[in-house]
């Protein structure tokens, strides 16, 4: 007994330790990254009576982190709308709140043959989207394969919607007409939903980059879908989901184009529940900026300026809207006309510390629109954002460096100086945060400690790589403490409008960057001529902006050459876009398929693998050309995970000729084989269990497996303790003990038991006449009487064990011929009924149909009683049928010779007994038949 108590105590301690380890050392995976970008979903306009002479503009937008995931509860300080044309007024202060009111959502589901194995997960995930979607939502459901079907119109009737989702059943060998499904949903929404209504389309597919049956699809293209979805008067955001069912990657190109061009979102992976949740988060986190503007008539362009609660500013994002009339302010005399000024902008140099005076020194430079600035406000705050010194107000313009004192009582920590420009009325116009470190020395040495060094990148100069073509610029930087910088982000900002012209989100930390200005953007245009601020963001590993610095640059666009008599002009521009990636495990290679333009200018490719979750560069590979349309690189050393691939093509002189970033794929390394080295190397998988659990929980595709494995482990420990602690059976002795140990049977007792059963049966049937000679089976000859619910014997009969071989010995030889099933393993085979009872179902039954989800795990069993076979239904989900007549749940029905036995809707068998038609490939028949 003492041993049992010790084992119980040991098991409890193990469970408590594992629970404490998991929930103490593993961080919460739901933590959000900081907002890093603004994604405009769509805009609407209307006039309201309480604001005469103004146009009500609603901008629906979503804040996303560095990898494009929606930030659920962002903290904002101010949001403004700036207009591209000064005649449209502004900037306007916006009222921001969470988007509310009715929203129309179309869900377009893939019903092709490749979705068969994911059918259940598809239905459950779609139903979860209906259950957890935005409030006041009305949905319509579509299904597509070789054709497109609209299953419901827009409705909030959950019963209709759930029925429509459950009706989506993938058709074996059916094709994938993805574009047809998208076009149908977009066209229907444009016709049924008003321009002021909220709307969204969610599209799911597992379409691959190749081997895709499109023979029955229409000739429509992505451009046809976008022609409707990007209508300037009625834009429809499209949210796309790419499911990876196999090692072959999803064809991301159409999904990414439809999502990012329309202001939606894209989610790629193998866990449907996680993918649908990402899209659901994007829908639920949508914000609405309301502003009353005075624009001119026609198509107008504005930009959304977002200031976060910590004082940092996101890059302004442009949008267009239609103004139905001229709302500009008209005055009777020209003197009253106020000309709006462009937005205010400035930079702050890295802080330096004066040990002697205990002051931080900062310099404000690159000021745009200084005439609007009345004063500059300098605030020193600690690492928690609390004021750490007196506020300093200086009139504009500033001259030289500004000294910000520090209290010596302030403990050693990271600090920041917030510089804010204010106008005549004291309203803040623009703000920049400059980080630094405060570390008072115990003895006056006059030198700074290593933690006092500034962190960031300062732009020194900007030059063209080639002064003739002017297709790329070289940005030279001065780096401060580069070891603390994870990556650089470079944005080209129009100096006149403060609107983003080009974004380079993930540049390596280096003293020199080469930026391609000739790469076409989503609108198919290179960077036009003009004056730009080249703004460089220094990003930490956790996504924080450590420092921002910029320098103005005047760009002159290369004019199109005048056509001459030369008939074969060689284009200057080269392009290379990776469209897919395959894994060759036998050769250890990643094979990139590339579409090229003017490939003769390309001498080599360079691939950078950026972790999609952390945005950090993991590996870099190079490949020579030719060939130009294919590049092969080694995948050794690249850990499993989701990646964004950046591909650069270089010319013979080593200069970049094209740049592409955005191909996303999931890499899974080769499965380890039974070789002499069974353990992975220490560089690929961390050695400690805490880090492994943390990495698995941070991966949405592995999170469920980790939690499930933990539950199985705890259950296994509890079951083991039960086996160890249960009271042992009393040892048996005597004849019964010998029979049990040797497997011997008492024939005399078995004969007595058989005679007893026959006497009981005779009393019940009152000497029923013998059955007629057996005839070929006809269903009408065997009417099925109502059978009582099947109940197995409550106790052993006649002292026999329940494994008593008597029914087996008395029963004639029987077998099941499998006619059809979703599980192809047993189709066209004859399966002997080798023991009684004979169980049917999935997983560890006498006859298993593991791949047919219409068969329950313990579907039913065949028994033999009183000279007849019966099928017993164990309350199965999809029912049991004898000659198309359902067996009542939990009851039994007789099995005539030659009858048809069906489990669920797809597994059909023919039951026969008394013959010898048995599959020779099956195991040896029971011993009693020999």
């Amino acid at each position: 007994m003492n041993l049992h108590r010790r084992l119980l105590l040991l098991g409890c301690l193990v469970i408590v330790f594992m629970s404490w380890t998991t929930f103490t050392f593993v961080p919460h995976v739901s933590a959000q990254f900081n907002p890093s970008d603004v994604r405009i979903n769509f805009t609407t306009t209307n006039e309201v009576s309480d604001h005469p002479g103004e146009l009500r503009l609603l901008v629906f937008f979503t804040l996303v982190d560095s990898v494009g995931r929606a930030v659920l509860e962002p903290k904002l300080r101010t949001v403004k709308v700036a207009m591209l044309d000064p005649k449209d007024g502004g900037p306007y202060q916006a009222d921001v709140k969470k988007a509310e009111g009715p929203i129309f959502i179309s869900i377009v589901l893939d019903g092709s043959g490749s979705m068969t194995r994911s059918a259940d997960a598809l239905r459950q995930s779609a139903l979860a989207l209906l259950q957890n979607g935005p409030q006041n939502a009305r949905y319509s459901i579509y299904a597509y394969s070789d054709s497109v079907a609209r299953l419901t119109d827009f409705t909030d009737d959950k019963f209709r919607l759930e029925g429509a989702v459950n009706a989506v059943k993938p058709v074996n060998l059916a094709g994938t007409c993805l574009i047809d499904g998208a076009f149908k949903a977009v066209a229907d929404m444009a016709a049924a939903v008003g321009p002021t209504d909220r709307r969204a389309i969610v599209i799911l597919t597992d379409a691959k980059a190749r081997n895709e049956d499109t023979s029955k699809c229409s000739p429509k293209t992505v451009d046809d879908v976008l022609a409707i979805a990007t209508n300037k008067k009625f834009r429809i955001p499209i949210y796309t989901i790419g499911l990876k069912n196999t090692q072959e990657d999803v064809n991301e190109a159409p999904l990414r184009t439809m999502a990012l061009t329309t202001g939606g979102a894209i989610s790629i992976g193998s866990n449907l529940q996680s993918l649908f949740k990402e899209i659901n988060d994007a829908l639920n986190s949508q914000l609405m900026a309301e502003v009353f503007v005075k624009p001119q008539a026609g198509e107008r362009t504005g930009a959304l300026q977002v200031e976060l609660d910590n004082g940092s500013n996101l890059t302004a994002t442009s949008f267009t809207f239609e103004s139905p009339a001229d709302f500009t302010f008209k005055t009777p005399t020209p003197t009253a006309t106020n000309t709006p000024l462009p937005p205010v902008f400035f930079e702050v140099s890295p802080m330096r510390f004066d040990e002697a005076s205990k002051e931080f020194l900062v310099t404000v430079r690159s000021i745009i629109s200084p005439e609007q600035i009345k004063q500059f406000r300098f605030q020193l705050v600690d690492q928690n954002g609390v004021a750490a010194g007196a506020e300093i107000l200086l009139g504009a313009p500033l001259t030289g460096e500004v000294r910000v004192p520090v209290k010596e009582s302030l403990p050693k920590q990271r600090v920041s100086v917030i510089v804010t420009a204010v106008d005549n009325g004291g309203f803040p116009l623009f703000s920049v945060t400059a980080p630094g470190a405060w570390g008072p020395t115990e003895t006056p040495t006059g030198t700074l400690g290593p933690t006092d060094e500034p962190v960031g990148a300062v732009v020194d100069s900007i030059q063209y790589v080639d002064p003739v073509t002017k297709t790329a610029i070289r940005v030279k930087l001065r780096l401060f403490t580069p070891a603390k910088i994870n990556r650089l982000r470079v944005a080209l900002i129009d100096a006149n409008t403060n609107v983003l012209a080009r974004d380079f989100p993930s540049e390596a930390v280096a003293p020199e960057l080469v930026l391609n200005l000739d790469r076409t953007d989503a609108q198919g245009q290179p960077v036009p001529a003009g004056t730009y601020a080249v703004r460089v963001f220094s990003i930490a590993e956790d996504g924080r902006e450590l420092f921002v610095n910029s320098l103005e640059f005047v760009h002159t666009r290369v004019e199109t050459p005048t056509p001459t008599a030369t008939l074969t002009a060689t284009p200057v521009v080269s392009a290379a876009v990776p469209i897919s990636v395959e894994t060759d495990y036998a050769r250890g290679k990643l094979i990139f398929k590339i579409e090229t333009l003017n490939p003769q200018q390309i001498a080599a490719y360079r691939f950078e693998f950026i972790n999609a979750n952390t945005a950090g560069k993991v590996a870099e590979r190079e490949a020579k050309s030719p060939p130009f349309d294919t590049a092969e690189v080694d995948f050794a050393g690249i850990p499993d995970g989701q990646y964004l691939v950046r591909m650069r093509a270089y010319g013979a002189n080593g200069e970049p000729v094209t740049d592409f970033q955005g191909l996303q794929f999931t890499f899974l390394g080769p499965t380890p084989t039974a070789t002499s080295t069974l353990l992975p190397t220490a560089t690929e998988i961390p050695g400690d269990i805490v880090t492994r659990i943390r990495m698995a929980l941070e991966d949405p595709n592995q999170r469920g497996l980790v939690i499930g494995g933990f539950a199985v482990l705890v259950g296994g420990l509890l079951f083991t303790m039960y086996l160890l602690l249960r009271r042992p059976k009393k040892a048996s002795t005597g004849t019964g003990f010998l029979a049990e140990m040797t497997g011997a049977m008492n024939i005399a007792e078995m004969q007595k038991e058989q005679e007893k059963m026959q006497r009981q049966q005779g009393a019940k049937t009152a000497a029923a006449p013998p059955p007629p000679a057996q005839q070929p089976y006809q269903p009408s000859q065997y009417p099925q009487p109502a059978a009582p619910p099947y109940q197995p014997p409550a106790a052993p009969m006649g002292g026999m064990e329940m494994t008593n071989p008597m029914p087996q010995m008395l029963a004639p030889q029987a077998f099941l011929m499998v006619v059809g099933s979703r599980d192809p393993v047993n189709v066209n085979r004859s399966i002997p009924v080798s023991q009684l009872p004979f169980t049917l179902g999935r997983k560890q039954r006498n006859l298993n149909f593991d791949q047919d989800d219409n068969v329950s795990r313990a579907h039913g069993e065949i028994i033999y009683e009183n000279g007849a076979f019966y099928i017993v239904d164990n309350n199965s989900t999809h029912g049991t049928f004898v000659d198309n007549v359902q067996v009542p749940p939990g009851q039994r029905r007789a099995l005539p010779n030659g009858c048809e036995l069906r489990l669920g809707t797809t597994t059909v068998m023919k039951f026969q007994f008394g013959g010898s038609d048995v599959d020779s490939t099956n195991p040896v028949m029971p011993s009693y038949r020999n």
Side-chain angles (χ1 to χ4, degrees):
M1 191 64 181
N2 291 334
L3 176 61
H4 290 171
R5 290 179 178 176
R6 291 176 182 176
L7 289 175
L8 178 60
L9 178 60
L10 177 62
C12 294
L13 290 175
V14 170
I15 295 175
V16 171
F17 174 75
M18 293 183 60
S19 302
W20 175 78
T21 302
T22 301
F23 295 104
T24 302
F25 290 101
V26 178
H28 296 289
V29 297
S30 61
Q32 290 281 324
F33 285 93
N34 294 327
S36 64
D37 201 3
V38 181
R39 183 169 293 163
I40 305 295
N41 304 131
F42 58 90
T43 61
T44 64
T45 58
N46 66 318
E47 298 181 60
V48 293
S49 58
D50 55 347
H51 285 267
E54 294 180 316
L55 181 66
R56 180 174 180 251
L57 171 64
L58 299 180
V59 182
F60 294 88
F61 66 99
T62 306
L63 297 185
V64 297
D65 59 22
S66 57
V67 295
R69 293 176 297 191
V71 179
L72 296 180
E73 297 181 357
K75 296 182 179 180
L76 308 179
R77 179 175 295 179
T78 61
V79 175
K80 297 180 183 179
V81 172
M83 307 303 296
L84 181 64
D85 191 338
K87 295 181 181 179
D88 292 328
Y92 300 95
Q93 186 75 23
D95 180 20
V96 178
K97 59 182 177 180
K98 187 173 182 179
E100 55 188 21
I103 181 173
F104 296 84
I105 303 176
S106 295
I107 303 177
V108 186
L109 302 177
D110 190 345
S112 61
S114 56
M115 288 291 298
T116 302
R117 292 188 176 182
S118 304
D120 287 341
L122 168 64
R123 288 191 286 269
Q124 294 173 6
S125 302
L127 292 175
L129 179 63
L130 296 175
Q131 185 69 25
N132 303 317
Q135 295 182 353
N136 300 323
R138 298 174 64 86
Y139 298 89
S140 63
I141 310 297
Y142 293 79
Y144 68 92
S145 54
D146 290 332
S147 58
V148 183
R150 180 174 180 174
L151 304 181
T152 66
D153 52 4
F154 286 108
T155 179
D156 56 1
D157 187 336
K158 291 300 177 66
F159 293 101
R160 287 185 58 195
L161 294 170
E162 291 176 1
V165 170
N166 290 326
V168 179
K169 297 181 179 179
V171 180
N172 192 27
L173 302 181
T176 308
C177 295
L178 166 65
I179 304 303
D180 289 353
F183 183 86
K184 173 67 174 172
V186 170
D188 288 352
M189 180 166 287
V193 178
T196 60
D197 294 319
R198 295 171 61 203
R199 60 266 185 187
I201 292 179
V202 180
I203 301 177
L204 165 76
T205 185
D206 70 339
K208 306 300 183 294
R210 53 189 178 85
N211 299 332
E212 184 179 345
D213 182 12
T214 58
S215 58
K216 297 183 181 180
C217 304
S218 72
K220 292 183 175 63
T221 64
V222 173
D223 291 338
D224 296 323
V225 176
L226 296 180
I228 301 176
T230 59
N231 187 296
K232 296 177 182 179
K233 297 182 179 180
F234 185 74
R235 189 162 90 160
I236 303 174
I238 300 176
Y239 298 79
T240 56
I241 300 175
L243 173 64
K244 294 183 177 181
N245 269 328
T246 64
Q247 292 288 345
E248 186 178 359
D249 283 340
V250 177
N251 182 14
E252 296 183 20
L255 302 181
R256 190 170 298 279
T257 301
M258 288 190 292
L260 301 185
T261 305
T262 61
I266 181 172
S267 185
I268 302 291
S270 58
N271 188 319
L272 262 180
Q273 182 180 5
S274 177
L275 298 177
F276 269 96
K277 185 181 183 303
E278 286 187 14
I279 298 301
N280 200 27
D281 287 346
L283 293 173
N284 283 314
S285 61
Q286 188 180 75
L287 301 175
M288 181 185 73
E290 181 185 35
V291 63
F292 292 90
V293 297
K294 290 179 173 293
Q296 304 171 80
E299 182 181 321
R300 315 311 301 159
T301 301
L304 201 65
Q305 299 175 331
V306 177
E307 181 185 9
L308 301 180
D309 190 54
N310 60 8
S312 61
N313 292 271
L314 302 181
T315 302
T317 304
S318 62
F319 58 87
T320 60
F321 65 95
E322 191 75 17
S323 176
D326 185 0
F327 293 89
T328 57
F329 182 69
K330 305 297 189 301
T331 58
T333 59
T335 57
T337 302
N338 294 322
T339 304
L341 297 175
V344 172
F345 174 81
F346 58 84
E347 298 289 348
V348 177
S349 63
M351 293 195 304
R352 64 187 186 89
F353 185 71
D354 187 343
E355 180 69 26
S357 63
K358 298 295 187 294
E359 293 174 324
F360 281 106
L361 282 73
V362 296
T363 302
V364 179
R365 64 184 188 182
S366 303
I367 301 176
I368 298 177
S369 301
E371 63 277 3
Q372 298 188 54
I373 304 174
K374 177 65 175 179
Q375 287 180 321
F376 285 93
R377 182 173 61 222
F378 296 84
Q379 296 172 289
L380 180 68
V381 296
D382 62 14
Q383 59 190 8
N384 298 317
V386 179
E391 181 178 285
I392 300 176
L393 285 176
L394 297 177
L398 298 174
T399 57
E401 291 181 313
V402 176
R403 294 179 173 269
V404 181
V406 183
K407 296 185 298 186
E408 291 193 14
S409 60
L410 183 68
K412 183 177 180 178
Q413 59 181 295
R414 303 292 299 180
V415 296
S416 300
V417 172
I418 302 176
V419 184
T420 305
V422 297
D423 60 12
N424 291 326
F427 184 81
L429 301 173
F430 190 72
S431 180
V432 174
T433 300
W438 161 244
T441 56
E442 297 180 0
T443 59
T445 61
T447 59
L448 294 178
T451 58
D452 294 319
E453 298 178 0
V455 179
V458 176
V459 182
D460 270 349
S461 65
I462 304 172
Q463 297 177 342
Y464 284 116
V465 173
D466 187 341
V468 178
T469 60
K470 300 180 180 180
T471 58
I473 58 175
R474 180 180 288 109
V475 181
K476 293 186 177 181
L477 306 172
R478 279 184 296 129
L479 300 176
F480 297 87
T481 319
K484 296 184 179 181
I485 306 174
N486 178 261
R487 62 184 173 92
L488 299 176
R489 176 190 173 195
V490 183
L492 268 65
I493 310 296
D494 191 306
N496 296 319
T497 64
N498 202 30
V499 174
L500 177 67
R502 182 63 53 82
D503 193 13
F504 303 87
S506 184
E507 296 290 329
V509 180
E512 184 176 293
L513 304 178
V514 175
L515 308 178
N516 191 351
L517 306 182
D518 206 45
R519 178 173 59 89
T520 56
D521 57 19
Q523 285 73 37
Q525 298 293 331
V527 175
T531 302
Y532 295 92
V534 179
R535 191 177 301 174
V536 179
F537 300 81
S538 301
I539 309 298
E541 186 174 0
D542 58 2
R544 293 181 296 109
E545 293 181 0
L546 301 173
F547 185 71
V548 182
N549 185 255
S550 68
L551 187 64
E552 286 193 1
F553 169 74
V554 179
H555 172 50
T556 304
R557 181 174 53 186
V558 178
E559 299 294 337
T560 304
T562 304
T564 63
T566 304
L567 298 180
T568 57
T570 303
V572 177
V573 179
S574 178
V577 178
I579 58 176
S580 67
V581 56
E582 299 178 1
T583 306
D584 188 340
Y585 291 101
R587 299 167 55 216
K589 300 285 188 181
L590 292 176
I591 304 174
F592 289 87
K593 300 295 183 182
I594 305 172
E595 290 184 355
T596 60
L597 176 66
N598 300 329
Q600 66 276 6
Q601 301 179 9
I602 301 174
Y605 293 108
R606 179 180 298 169
F607 298 88
E608 295 180 3
F609 297 84
I610 301 171
N611 188 293
N613 295 320
T614 65
K617 185 170 72 174
V618 175
E620 185 176 292
R621 299 288 188 271
E622 291 188 0
K624 300 293 184 182
S625 59
F628 303 103
D629 58 350
T630 302
E632 298 183 0
V633 298
D634 295 331
F635 61 63
I638 300 178
D640 295 354
Q642 293 184 339
Y643 292 95
L644 291 171
V645 177
R646 176 174 188 173
M647 187 192 78
R648 288 176 175 172
Y650 291 84
N653 58 355
E655 297 294 341
V657 295
T658 184
D659 191 354
F660 177 85
Q661 178 171 321
L663 177 64
Q664 186 177 12
F665 82 106
T666 300
F667 174 69
L668 297 175
T671 303
T673 57
T675 62
S676 58
T677 303
L678 297 179
L679 295 177
T681 61
T683 57
E684 294 184 356
I685 300 179
D688 60 290
I689 187 63
V690 174
T691 304
R692 293 189 183 185
I693 296 176
R694 180 185 296 113
M695 293 176 60
L697 284 179
E698 289 177 350
D699 186 352
N701 296 329
Q702 300 182 19
R703 189 180 309 153
L705 295 177
V706 174
I707 297 175
F710 177 76
V712 171
L713 180 59
V714 173
L717 288 173
L718 294 175
F719 181 69
T720 302
M721 287 190 291
Y722 164 75
L723 293 179
L724 293 173
L725 299 177
R726 66 174 182 172
R727 186 182 299 276
K729 294 176 61 177
K730 183 178 180 180
S732 301
T733 59
T735 305
F737 168 71
L738 293 176
E740 180 179 352
M741 296 297 294
T742 62
M745 296 180 294
N746 190 324
I747 301 300
E749 291 183 2
M750 293 172 59
Q751 291 177 348
K752 291 179 181 180
E753 180 62 26
Q754 180 180 2
E755 293 173 357
K756 179 179 178 181
M757 293 173 60
Q758 291 177 349
R759 286 195 301 271
Q760 293 175 349
Q761 179 65 21
K764 293 181 180 180
T765 58
Q774 179 174 318
Q775 299 295 330
Y777 169 67
Q778 297 293 334
S780 60
Q781 297 177 1
Y782 294 88
Q784 297 288 347
Y790 171 68
Q791 298 290 341
M797 297 180 297
M800 293 189 296
E801 298 281 349
M802 289 303 294
T803 54
N804 170 18
M806 180 63 69
Q808 186 71 49
M809 298 183 64
L810 297 177
Q813 176 179 333
F815 57 91
L816 295 164
M817 168 64 77
V818 181
V819 178
S821 176
R822 285 186 176 178
D823 190 338
V825 175
N826 296 314
V827 175
N828 296 327
R829 295 185 62 194
S830 296
I831 311 297
V833 180
S834 55
Q835 68 181 59
L836 292 171
F838 187 81
T839 58
L840 307 168
R842 292 186 291 126
K843 306 297 182 185
Q844 300 180 351
R845 309 296 161 186
N846 297 122
L847 180 53
N848 297 299
F849 298 93
D850 292 340
Q851 300 182 37
D852 191 343
D853 53 6
N854 283 324
V855 177
S856 298
R857 183 178 294 271
H859 197 104
E861 58 184 28
I862 297 175
I863 63 173
Y864 184 79
E865 289 185 3
N866 303 325
F869 287 99
Y870 294 88
I871 179 67
V872 180
D873 180 86
N874 291 336
N875 294 302
S876 62
T877 302
H878 297 286
T880 305
F881 302 82
V882 178
D883 287 323
N884 292 323
V885 177
Q886 183 172 3
V887 180
Q891 299 187 23
R892 64 180 179 177
R893 184 177 293 274
L895 290 175
N897 190 19
C899 69
E900 178 184 278
L901 174 62
R902 174 160 56 90
L903 307 182
T905 59
T906 52
T907 293
V908 180
M909 298 169 285
K910 182 179 180 182
F911 177 75
Q912 292 181 330
F913 59 85
S916 60
D917 184 11
V918 180
D919 188 353
S920 61
T921 64
N922 276 285
V924 179
M925 295 295 294
S927 58
Y928 73 89
R929 303 205 186 280
N930 296 330

